[in-house]
Amino acid sequence: MVTRESARPASAEQRLEELGIKLPAPPEPFGTYSEAVQTGNLLFLTGMLPTEGRAAKFIGRVGAELDVDTGRKTAYLAALNRLAVAREHLGSLDKVTRIVRLGVLVATSGDVRDQPKVADLRSCCERSSEKTRILPA
């Protein structure tokens, strides 16, 4: 992204501000694990749930308790939580130069096949969306 003021690309932090996106506080882990582990110049994040603090914001499965649009909102919140954890670990999202892999698990019921619509996987990295019957709440 190029800002109008200069030919320099906008930073990740500037872009979030331009889009009016405010990251939540990083979620508290539900167990004794690290939400972010860095090895060399790679940062690995654990799976994130659509929570605010330690409280589940959405509970249910796409196709049963949740429709696809609500499922997209859950994926969006989980993504914001991931960004918040990355920012906390790195100090700034401007240190991220590329996302290598993005995986999304979508809890669904029955024969739902809209996982890609829920995950909205539009990126240049390796990506996958998988169906699962149960995710932790």
Side-chain angles (χ1 to χ4, degrees):
M1 176 59 63
V2 177
T3 63
R4 294 179 188 192
E5 294 78 34
S6 71
R8 293 181 50 203
S11 74
E13 299 287 344
Q14 287 173 327
R15 191 71 181 122
L16 287 174
E17 188 175 327
E18 287 172 6
L19 294 170
I21 297 172
K22 298 206 185 295
L23 295 183
E28 298 177 36
F30 285 90
T32 56
Y33 58 88
S34 296
E35 291 186 307
V37 174
Q38 187 170 355
T39 179
N41 63 352
L42 297 176
L43 180 65
F44 295 88
L45 302 174
T46 63
M48 296 287 158
L49 296 170
T51 61
E52 291 178 347
R54 291 188 70 117
K57 179 76 173 166
F58 300 95
I59 297 175
R61 295 167 294 151
V62 174
E65 299 83 9
L66 308 174
D67 60 18
V68 170
D69 188 50
T70 304
R72 287 174 56 94
K73 291 175 184 170
T74 68
Y76 181 78
L77 179 56
L80 291 181
N81 284 338
R82 277 190 153 185
L83 290 173
V85 168
R87 177 196 271 169
E88 179 180 63
H89 181 82
L90 297 171
S92 171
L93 291 176
D94 293 338
K95 293 183 180 179
V96 176
T97 57
R98 180 173 178 149
I99 297 172
V100 177
R101 182 179 189 284
L102 174 64
V104 179
L105 290 175
V106 180
T108 62
S109 66
D111 62 352
V112 172
R113 303 210 190 297
D114 288 331
Q115 291 82 7
K117 289 180 184 175
V118 172
D120 193 19
L121 300 172
R122 293 179 284 174
S123 69
C124 59
C125 59
E126 175 191 343
R127 56 193 182 258
S128 64
S129 68
E130 300 175 31
K131 173 180 175 177
T132 184
R133 305 255 316 144
I134 301 174
L135 286 174

